[in-house]
Amino acid sequence: MEENNTSSMFNTVKSVLKSKTMLFVLVGVMILFEILIGAKTGWNSHLFSPANITNIIRQNAYVAILATGMLLCILTGGNIDLSVGSVVALIGALAGVFIVNWGMPIWLAILCCLIIGTAIGAFHGFFIAYIHIPPFITTLAGMLLWRGVATIVLDGRPIAPFPEKYLKLFESFLPKASGNDIELFGQYSDAHILVTTIIITLVAILAYIILEIISRRNKIRKNYTVQSTGSFFAKLIILSIVIFIIGQFLARDRGLPVVLILLGVIIAAYSYFTQNTVPGRYLYAIGGNEKAARLSGVNTKNVMFFAYTNMGFIAAIAALVTIARMNSAQPTSGQNYEMDAIASCFIGGASAYGGTGTVGGAVIGAIFMGVLNNGMSILGVDMNWQRAVKGLVLLLAVLFDVYSKTKRTAKK
């Protein structure tokens, strides 16, 4: 009996480590950077400082947002969208013209930008899904086309600054400070921000646990394959601890960045869509075997069209976030954004062949990229070496995916 319990516990631990490998790697890399930064600066600078954690979230929100949309494209068979950086530049340029130059109402300008971004995605999706031009070629053409249009719209000059009312939509913090400070972990923090942020964090953890339990019960009722009970609860505990740790860092700084709330809504919506809806599962079906999915009655053309139309919509949201963070619309904005988004998905566990990957994994990949950038910047690593390291990490992630797929095929 004792042997069975030991074996069961070992299998549970093994399952959790396997399913959350990237999360543990991320934590390990963060600890490594904390040690290196502390040793280099005499412990005067820290990766794990409240202000730096806030900066990592704000500076990399656009990557996580783009990664959620890019994941849907990758799921369809390892396809990618090379145009998203240029679309971000174009939508940012149009937002600058609408809001700054024309004085258009902010809500109307945002709506127009979202519609235009979605239309650009639909433009790509039409040629990919119905004309059967390969996604790589279509989006490469889009990358050149929309970058050129963005430069024409801006006439090669940035538009700045944006109204304070617009900046508050994406760059402000909740809740507002009260002016009363209390001490926590040797640091003085605003009492209202501290208490309110901790309460919001606990509510978010509770909501996450309830939704995960409901989702598991629904899958069991439909006879879907689910994790063992031990693995499931271990996952809940680990992620709840991670959420609380992040929450207490934010509570000791300026509170919750509004962009983090936006990101949370996007993650929740797309996680539910991909895991719990029929159209979302079609994406996985096409990536697994497009011919079999088509013979099963799935309209593969419409699904492909949706994936790229959605990518345009997501790119528009990322553009609105980017121009708020930079407080300007620039013709060079969005450069290499597509590479960051693609790398985030693959590092987060998406398969280069399609059909495998989660929104949560893509977001973890985005955070990993952000931590690499932030940690190496604090250490003063040359930008060329930073690119080399990120390229090596991406190669290792894809190599691991290819190895895993080959190993599974050999077992069959």
Side-chain angles (χ1 to χ4, degrees), residues 276-327:
N276 297 285
T277 68
V278 173
R281 301 312 297 178
Y282 284 167
L283 295 165
Y284 289 91
I286 292 176
N289 191 320
E290 183 178 357
K291 185 176 180 180
R294 186 168 59 250
L295 293 174
S296 299
V298 177
N299 191 324
T300 55
K301 293 181 179 179
N302 287 352
V303 174
M304 189 70 76
F305 177 77
F306 165 77
Y308 281 89
T309 300
N310 174 76
M311 188 68 253
F313 172 74
I314 287 292
I317 296 176
L320 296 173
V321 170
T322 299
I323 59 174
R325 180 173 62 87
M326 299 173 63
N327 195 17

Side-chain angles (χ1 to χ4, degrees), residues 333-354:
S333 179
Q335 287 186 342
N336 294 324
Y337 280 19
E338 60 279 350
M339 300 306 173
D340 288 338
I342 293 167
S344 298
C345 291
F346 289 137
I347 291 172
S351 173
Y353 303 97

Side-chain angles (χ1 to χ4, degrees), residues 3-84:
E3 280 188 17
N4 291 336
N5 290 335
T6 303
S7 177
S8 177
M9 185 178 297
F10 174 77
N11 289 333
T12 297
V13 172
K14 184 179 179 180
S15 175
V16 172
L17 289 175
K18 187 176 180 180
S19 62
K20 299 298 175 187
T21 301
M22 200 58 226
L23 182 59
F24 291 112
V25 171
L26 173 60
V27 172
V29 168
M30 293 183 75
I31 293 173
L32 175 62
F33 273 124
E34 174 69 10
I35 295 171
L36 293 175
I37 291 169
K40 182 175 181 179
T41 63
W43 303 102
N44 292 320
S45 297
H46 301 274
L47 183 76
F48 289 109
S49 67
N52 194 51
I53 295 298
T54 299
N55 287 336
I56 289 175
I57 292 172
R58 292 175 60 217
Q59 291 170 3
N60 296 279
Y62 76 90
V63 182
I65 292 171
L66 288 174
T68 59
M70 189 67 71
L71 176 69
L72 270 60
C73 297
I74 291 174
L75 288 177
T76 61
N79 301 306
I80 56 176
D81 189 335
L82 294 174
S83 69
V84 293

Side-chain angles (χ1 to χ4, degrees), residues 206-360:
L206 181 61
Y208 163 72
I209 292 173
I210 292 173
L211 290 174
E212 283 292 311
I213 291 174
I214 292 174
S215 176
R216 177 181 169 82
R217 286 181 177 177
N218 289 337
K219 289 179 180 179
I220 291 174
R221 190 174 66 250
K222 295 175 182 178
N223 294 321
Y224 290 170
T225 301
V226 295
Q227 291 176 297
S228 66
T229 303
S231 299
F232 174 72
F233 281 106
K235 181 189 77 170
L236 290 184
I237 293 171
I238 291 171
L239 291 181
S240 295
I241 292 173
V242 170
I243 294 172
F244 181 78
I245 291 174
I246 294 174
Q248 65 85 24
F249 277 122
L250 299 177
R252 291 189 287 138
D253 188 36
R254 286 166 286 177
L256 293 172
V258 171
V259 71
L260 178 61
I261 298 173
L262 172 64
L263 180 58
V265 171
I266 292 173
I267 293 171
Y270 280 86
S271 293
Y272 181 83
F273 173 77
T274 54
Q275 299 297 320
N276 297 285
T277 68
V278 173
R281 301 312 297 178
Y282 284 167
L283 295 165
Y284 289 91
I286 292 176
N289 191 320
E290 183 178 357
K291 185 176 180 180
R294 186 168 59 250
L295 293 174
S296 299
V298 177
N299 191 324
T300 55
K301 293 181 179 179
N302 287 352
V303 174
M304 189 70 76
F305 177 77
F306 165 77
Y308 281 89
T309 300
N310 174 76
M311 188 68 253
F313 172 74
I314 287 292
I317 296 176
L320 296 173
V321 170
T322 299
I323 59 174
R325 180 173 62 87
M326 299 173 63
N327 195 17
S328 67
Q330 302 182 19
T332 57
S333 179
Q335 287 186 342
N336 294 324
Y337 280 19
E338 60 279 350
M339 300 306 173
D340 288 338
I342 293 167
S344 298
C345 291
F346 289 137
I347 291 172
S351 173
Y353 303 97
T356 302
T358 63
V359 172

